[in-house]
Structure formats: structure tokens, C-alpha cells
């Protein structure tokens, strides 16, 4: 029984939450540049390349064996009869072969469920791009991998040079068994449940202590001022609901997708000047873009949008193909017109997130006994999606995830990958997902949404580009102000306390530009402390506002 690999409770949740409207696979979209003078058939080359690498990642060669009566989570077993022609497909785009056409194709392919009787993956080679590049889209069920495991999967099939590395072939092994017997599955399931009970029991004392510390901190923080100066619930608190938005409704299986790339190095430089991390700046870009997008249609809530942010629990060097992830909530400060106050709100939220992870590190269980979980989780998912609960129980408005990727070019069957756009999951109640993958000096944003809730996802991408230009406008103000305090303090003695405040190191959870002047006199040095938010021309012409949408609920069966 020890050779059977059981799905953890997290892996199984992605399986049991799945429905026709809510496929639970993740993927990525790319374009590849063929070698100069290439005259071969790239689809055939990729097919042969993958066939020789499948043994490097178990996700390629294992399938699910369901427990009798769905009493507990299924197990992974080896599939000795893989139909590679099914898993790898060739698609030709119609003319003119634009990137928008490829994005629409990816959205349509991403909306269909994977066949659970086979290994849970599919790859598509996409021909017909007018640029002469080749497209590639792949999807793998989230029950098999998380974001970091997806990076590991990519390392098994991609190379660092145009010449593919030599891979030792696997040893031939065939069991001639399609599925396990009922008795064998039940025995393995019972053994797994007992092991999980023992493991969970060891974590209970530490988990209870951490939960108590979190509750005490949450209660104390409710009376403290938030990052924007108002009293109330702490940024990122789990004890509040998100405001209504066009994204908080039941979804259909229709998808809209687009991708965009922004320079990573410039984002790092601006973040460093403002005392923010790359993750803070990614959240700020998303917040600023969402604010502009919703203002256009007069749908911007008076309260801040809330982002659900996945957090990896994977230890460095862990290459196992499973889910080791949890999540938290971060306020985006979208109700604030001042860009620096939005950044301060986000930094306060990410600081709270780091504190939570420090509290729960090592005691967050990644597995529980799964007896009855298939029935329970499937029933809850159906209830939430087909009732009006998704309109009322709003824990987050949008999902935002940031996954580090390769800083150097990678190759597939001799072709150079030019971009890496993640294609993730939207769920009932959160119809928009923004996932970012860094690659080759770029931040590659993959924006996917339920098409009924958000058909114009490309408009959000346009606002993301405007947000990046606005972000660049913040850096000169920050660097100029950093150089002036000493000279301005000498020019006016009343500004001395302000100059001293600027010279002090700013705590990690507070953005530098939000330092307030201590003098009531309108002296010039005060302007140096509070950075100028220069207006950046984000529009060439005024665009007409979109009419507010009236999202429709998913049809009842």
C-alpha cells in the first residue's frame, strides 16, 4: 500500500470543487521563435521531445484511481497506456493570425474539462501566427501541481540552450493493470486516514496557539488606525467581507483571456526607491489598473477591493508534484485617489501577511483526513455557485498571484520561448484572476475572467499599462525628495523636525512618501517631504464610460 500516492486534502479540494462551470486546471500561453532557417515540422519535434521527457515528471504518466463510493480522496496510479496523440494536439489559427485570435483560442481551450480517466494534462501547438512564431498552450489539473510545482514541471521539458540536453530514457515497466481492486483501494484509504489523524494530532497544540495569537491580534487591531488613517478592521483582516463588484457573481464556463508584459527591472527600481518589494509593486499595479477600469464604468466601490493572495508553503528545493499552498487577503486601497496612500495600504497588508505566515509557519497542516470530503466539498461548491451566496459572501474581489520564473531564456525543441503568460482559475464569486510569472526580465501578466462577468478583459490590460507609466512617474519625485532634506533644513530651521524624520529609516510596513509635516507653517521644506504625485498623461483622448454591467447568474440545472 505504501506505493500508492494519495491526494492530500488540498489536492482533493481542487478535484471536488470542479464543475462544468468551474474547471480547476492551470496553464500557460507562449509564443516561440523558431531557429533561423528552420524547415522542419515543429509539432512533430515537440511531440518527440515531450515523449522523451515524460518520465521526468510524474504528472505526465499517472492518473486517478477513485475510491469506492467516493468515500475519500482518490490515489495516483501509473498509466501504462498513454495515448500521446490525445494529449498533444495541433491547431491552426485562421487568418490573419493575430495574438488576439490566439488569446481567444486559449480562453476557449481553457474552458473545457480534462478527461479524468487519463493523466490530467494537454498540450497544444498553435500554428498560423502572422508574426511567423509558433504558439503553445498547455494545461495541467491543479490537483496535480501548484504554481511552484508548475515551474518544476517546466524545468523538466524546457532547456537552457537551443540544443536539447541529453536525457536518459526510463526503464521499461508495465503492470498490465488498468485499475486497482476495490479491496485494495479501501485498505489503502483506511491506512491513509489513520496516518492523517496521527499527523494532525501532532500539529494541534501549535496550531491552537497560533490561532489564539491571531484572534488576539485581530481584536486589538480593530481599534487602531488603518494604513489610510481610518479606524476599523485591519488591512487584510479575515474578519470582514469585500465590497460588491462586477467580479463577485456566479460564473459560467466561458472565459476571456489576455496577457501583457512589463519590465521587471524598472519595477524593482521604483519599488526600491519607495521602500516596497516587487510583490508590493505588482499589487499596486493591479490596484491602480482596477481602479481606473472600474471608474470608467462608474462601478468603483467606496470601500477598498480585496485581493485573495495565494502563499506557497513549499520549502526551497522541494520539487514534489503536489499542492503546498495557503492564502490570505490583502486590501488594495482602490478607494484612495492618492497613489502613495494606495501603496501604503498595500504594504501594510503584505506586512500583516508576512506576520501571519511567521505565526503559522511550521504548524499549518497541508493535509487532513479526507473521509467524506468528496461529497462534502462537491456539495458546498454546488450550493455556493447555484445559489445567491456568491453575491453575498464576498471574501475577495479578485485573485492575484505572483510566481517567480526563469530569468534567462528557455527553449523547447530548439525554439526560443519569447513570453510566459499564466492561465489560471476563476471561481464562483471571484470571476477575475491575475497571475504574474517573471521571465527573462519581464513581468508576464495573465488575466483571465468569466466572459459573462468581464468580456472586456483587454481593457484592464490597457489600464495595467497606464498604471505602469504612472508608476514610473513616482520615482523621480521619490529620488529628488531624498536628495533635498539636508539643504532645505538648513534654509529654514522650522523644517528641522521634518528633515530629521526623512533621514530616519522608515519601517518596512510604511511607505516613505506618507510622512506628514510637523510644522503648521506653509514652509517650502514641507513640500520636499510629501512627494509630488505628478499627473501622467494616461489617455490621448477621453474615452466614453462603459455602461454598468448587469451580471447574470449561472443558469440552474
Amino acid at each position: 500500500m505504501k506505493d500508492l500516492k494519495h491526494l492530500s486534502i488540498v489536492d482533493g479540494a481542487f478535484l471536488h470543487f470542479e464543475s462544468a462551470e468551474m474547471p480547476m486546471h492551470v496553464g500557460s500561453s507562449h509564443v516561440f521563435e523558431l531557429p533561423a532557417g528552420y524547415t522542419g515540422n515543429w509539432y512533430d519535434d515537440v511531440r518527440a521531445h515531450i515523449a522523451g521527457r515524460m518520465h521526468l515528471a510524474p504528472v505526465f504518466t499517472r492518473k486517478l484511481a477513485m475510491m469506492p463510493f467516493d468515500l475519500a480522496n482518490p490515489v495516483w496510479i501509473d498509466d501504462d497506456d498513454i495515448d500521446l496523440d490525445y494529449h498533444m494536439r495541433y491547431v491552426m489559427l485562421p487568418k490573419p493570425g493575430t495574438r488576439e485570435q490566439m488569446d481567444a483560442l486559449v480562453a476557449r481551450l481553457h474552458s473545457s474539462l480534462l478527461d479524468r480517466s487519463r493523466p490530467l494534462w494537454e498540450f497544444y501547438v498553435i500554428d498560423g501566427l502572422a508574426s511567423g512564431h509558433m504558439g503553445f498552450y498547455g494545461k495541467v489539473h491543479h490537483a496535480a501541481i501548484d504554481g511552484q510545482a508548475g515551474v518544476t514541471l517546466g524545468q523538466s521539458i524546457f532547456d537552457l540552450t537551443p540544443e536539447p540536453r541529453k536525457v536518459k530514457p526510463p526503464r521499461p515497466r508495465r503492470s498490465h493493470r488498468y485499475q486497482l481492486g476495490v479491496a485494495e483501494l479501501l485498505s489503502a484509504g483506511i491506512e491513509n486516514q489513520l496516518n492523517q489523524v496521527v499527523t494532525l494530532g501532532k500539529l494541534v497544540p501549535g496550531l491552537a496557539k497560533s490561532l489564539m495569537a491571531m484572534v488576539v491580534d485581530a481584536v486589538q487591531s480593530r481599534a487602531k488606525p488603518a494604513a489610510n488613517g481610518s479606524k476599523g478592521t485591519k488591512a487584510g483582516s479575515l474578519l470582514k467581507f469585500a465590497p460588491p463588484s462586477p467580479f463577485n457573481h456566479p460564473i459560467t464556463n466561458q472565459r476571456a483571456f489576455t496577457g501583457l508584459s512589463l519590465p521587471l527591472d524598472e519595477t524593482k527600481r521604483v519599488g526600491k526607491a519607495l521602500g516596497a518589494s516587487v510583490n508590493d509593486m505588482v499589487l499596486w499595479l493591479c490596484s491602480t489598473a482596477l481602479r481606473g477600469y472600474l471608474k470608467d464604468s462608474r462601478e468603483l466601490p467606496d470601500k477598498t477591493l480585496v485581493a485573495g493572495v495565494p502563499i506557497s508553503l513549499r520549502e526551497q528545493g522541494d520539487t514534489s508534484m503536489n499542492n503546498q499552498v495557503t492564502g490570505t487577503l490583502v486590501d488594495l486601497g482602490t478607494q484612495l485617489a492618492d497613489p502613495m496612500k494606495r501603496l501604503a495600504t498595500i504594504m501594510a497588508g503584505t506586512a500583516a501577511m508576512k506576520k501571519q505566515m511567521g505565526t503559522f509557519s511550521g504548524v499549518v497542516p497541508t493535509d487532513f483526513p479526507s473521509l467524506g470530503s468528496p461529497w462534502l466539498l462537491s456539495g458546498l461548491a454546488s450550493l455556493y455557485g447555484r445559489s445567491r451566496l456568491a453575491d453575498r459572501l464576498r471574501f475577495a474581489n479578485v485573485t492575484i498571484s505572483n510566481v517567480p520564473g526563469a530569468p534567462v531564456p528557455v527553449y523547447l525543441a530548439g525554439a526560443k520561448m519569447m513570453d510566459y503568460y499564466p492561465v489560471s482559475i476563476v471561481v464562483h464569486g471571484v470571476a477575475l484572476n491575475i497571475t504574474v510569472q517573471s521571465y527573462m526580465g519581464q513581468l508576464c501578466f495573465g488575466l483571465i475572467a468569466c466572459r459573462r462577468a468581464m468580456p472586456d478583459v483587454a481593457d484592464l490590460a490597457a489600464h495595467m499599462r497606464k498604471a505602469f507609466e504612472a508608476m514610473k512617474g513616482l520615482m523621480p519625485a521619490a529620488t529628488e525628495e531624498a536628495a533635498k532634506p539636508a539643504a532645505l533644513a538648513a534654509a529654514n530651521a522650522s523644517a528641522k523636525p521634518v528633515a530629521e524624520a526623512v533621514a530616519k529609516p522608515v519601517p518596512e510596513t510604511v511607505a516613505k512618501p506618507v510622512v506628514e509635516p510637523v510644522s503648521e507653517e506653509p514652509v517650502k521644506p514641507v513640500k520636499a517631504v510629501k512627494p509630488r504625485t505628478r499627473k501622467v498623461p494616461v489617455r490621448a483622448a477621453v474615452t466614453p464610460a462603459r455602461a454598468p454591467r448587469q451580471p447574470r447568474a449561472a443558469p440552474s440545472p
Side-chain angles (χ1 to χ4, degrees):
M1 304 304 172
K2 294 182 179 180
D3 59 336
L4 297 182
K5 177 63 177 177
H6 288 263
L7 274 72
S8 71
I9 194 70
V10 179
D11 298 338
F14 287 111
L15 199 67
H16 308 317
F17 282 148
E18 187 171 61
S19 65
E21 300 85 10
M22 201 165 66
M24 300 298 282
H25 46 253
V26 291
S28 57
S29 172
H30 320 266
V31 295
F32 283 85
E33 182 180 63
L34 296 173
Y38 179 82
T39 58
N41 185 316
W42 197 61
Y43 167 75
D44 289 341
D45 290 348
V46 172
R47 187 182 183 282
H49 180 91
I50 298 298
R53 303 285 182 94
M54 291 172 57
H55 61 287
L56 299 181
V59 67
F60 286 122
T61 58
R62 65 186 186 183
K63 63 182 179 181
L64 293 171
M66 310 305 292
M67 284 290 169
F69 312 110
D70 276 343
L71 290 176
N73 282 340
V75 297
W76 294 113
I77 62 172
D78 291 330
D79 188 349
D80 297 319
D81 186 24
I82 297 174
D83 182 2
L84 201 56
D85 289 328
Y86 174 85
H87 291 279
M88 297 205 59
R89 322 242 182 122
Y90 175 84
V91 182
M92 174 69 77
L93 290 176
K95 292 183 178 181
T98 64
R99 188 59 191 259
E100 289 75 19
Q101 287 176 301
M102 179 174 162
D103 287 345
L105 173 64
V106 167
R108 185 164 65 251
L109 295 174
H110 203 68
S111 67
S112 60
L113 297 169
L114 289 164
D115 184 352
R116 293 192 185 184
S117 69
R118 306 172 186 263
L120 299 177
W121 63 277
E122 291 176 7
F123 288 167
Y124 294 80
V125 171
I126 303 171
D127 202 350
L129 284 168
S131 62
H133 293 95
M134 296 295 292
F136 184 89
Y137 161 73
K139 62 180 178 181
V140 182
H141 204 286
H142 211 327
I145 60 171
D146 58 13
Q148 289 294 338
V151 173
T152 302
L153 173 62
Q155 292 172 352
S156 68
I157 61 176
F158 298 134
D159 296 294
L160 296 178
T161 63
E163 182 67 26
R165 67 187 186 274
K166 300 296 182 181
V167 175
K168 185 178 179 180
R171 294 179 179 178
R173 181 173 60 90
R174 297 186 66 87
S175 65
H176 301 285
R177 181 171 60 175
Y178 180 71
Q179 285 284 14
L180 301 179
V182 173
E184 189 174 5
L185 283 170
L186 285 174
S187 177
I190 293 172
E191 181 179 348
N192 178 257
Q193 301 306 301
L194 294 175
N195 290 335
Q196 294 305 326
V197 170
V198 173
T199 302
L200 186 62
K202 295 178 181 178
L203 293 175
V204 165
L207 183 61
K209 183 178 179 181
S210 298
L211 285 172
M212 182 60 67
M214 185 188 75
V215 170
V216 171
D217 181 68
V219 172
Q220 292 176 347
S221 66
R222 289 182 69 86
K224 296 180 180 179
N228 57 12
S230 61
K231 290 187 177 182
T233 308
K234 186 179 179 180
S237 172
L238 300 176
L239 304 179
K240 65 175 182 179
F241 289 128
S245 80
F247 321 128
N248 298 113
H249 299 281
I251 63 172
T252 70
N253 68 337
Q254 302 172 44
R255 297 290 178 266
F257 170 77
T258 193
L260 76 152
S261 298
L262 299 175
L264 173 60
D265 288 343
E266 196 155 6
T267 305
K268 284 182 177 179
R269 284 197 297 270
V270 175
K272 186 176 181 179
L274 300 177
S277 67
V278 172
N279 197 48
D280 293 333
M281 298 313 298
V282 166
L283 290 170
W284 184 89
L285 287 169
C286 295
S287 169
T288 304
L290 287 166
R291 174 180 168 83
Y293 173 85
L294 293 174
K295 280 192 70 177
D296 277 357
S297 56
R298 301 182 180 89
E299 296 174 294
L300 181 66
D302 294 333
K303 296 182 179 180
T304 176
L305 294 183
V306 179
V309 180
I311 302 173
S312 177
L313 299 175
R314 188 177 299 272
E315 296 183 3
Q316 189 170 0
D318 185 349
T319 60
S320 56
M321 293 286 166
N322 62 355
N323 285 275
Q324 300 181 39
V325 65
T326 184
T328 190
L329 303 175
V330 175
D331 288 350
L332 296 177
T334 49
Q335 84 282 16
L336 302 171
D338 188 328
M340 299 311 302
K341 289 183 178 180
R342 283 202 303 278
L343 181 60
T345 298
I346 290 169
M347 293 175 69
T350 56
M353 176 179 69
K354 293 174 184 176
K355 182 178 180 181
Q356 289 174 5
M357 291 312 300
T359 301
F360 286 95
S361 179
V363 299
V364 176
T366 57
D367 204 0
F368 294 92
S370 62
L371 190 64
S373 65
W375 293 351
L376 177 62
L377 297 180
S378 297
L380 289 175
S382 178
L383 174 65
Y384 187 72
R386 296 188 177 276
S387 67
R388 305 303 298 179
L389 288 175
D391 297 321
R392 297 179 176 88
L393 297 179
R394 300 178 302 271
F395 299 103
N397 302 106
V398 57
T399 301
I400 303 176
S401 181
N402 185 10
V403 181
V408 296
V410 299
Y411 299 81
L412 175 63
K416 180 181 178 181
M417 183 193 292
M418 306 304 294
D419 52 33
Y420 197 130
Y421 295 126
V423 190
S424 195
I425 295 171
V426 293
V427 298
H428 290 305
V430 185
L432 172 64
N433 184 300
I434 304 173
T435 302
V436 187
Q437 177 99 27
S438 60
Y439 174 64
M440 219 168 67
Q442 296 288 312
L443 287 171
C444 297
F445 289 76
L447 286 65
I448 189 165
C450 170
R451 192 175 69 85
R452 179 172 292 186
M454 191 179 182
D456 53 354
V457 68
D459 287 357
L460 180 60
H463 278 284
M464 196 79 71
R465 294 186 181 91
K466 295 174 184 178
F468 182 77
E469 294 302 318
M471 182 194 74
K472 291 193 297 183
L474 300 177
M475 187 172 178
T479 53
E480 288 172 13
E481 302 306 335
K484 290 181 180 179
L488 293 174
N492 194 323
S494 64
K496 183 176 179 181
V498 180
E500 292 175 350
V502 175
K504 293 181 181 179
V506 180
E508 185 177 339
T509 57
V510 181
K512 293 181 181 180
V514 297
V515 178
E516 298 293 339
V518 298
S519 173
E520 296 182 358
E521 298 179 357
V523 292
K524 296 178 73 175
V526 175
K527 296 182 180 178
V529 178
K530 190 172 183 179
R532 300 187 299 273
T533 55
R534 302 190 307 177
K535 294 184 178 180
V536 179
V538 297
R539 293 187 180 89
V542 177
T543 56
R546 295 189 305 273
R549 291 177 292 275
Q550 298 296 330
R552 292 174 290 174
S556 299

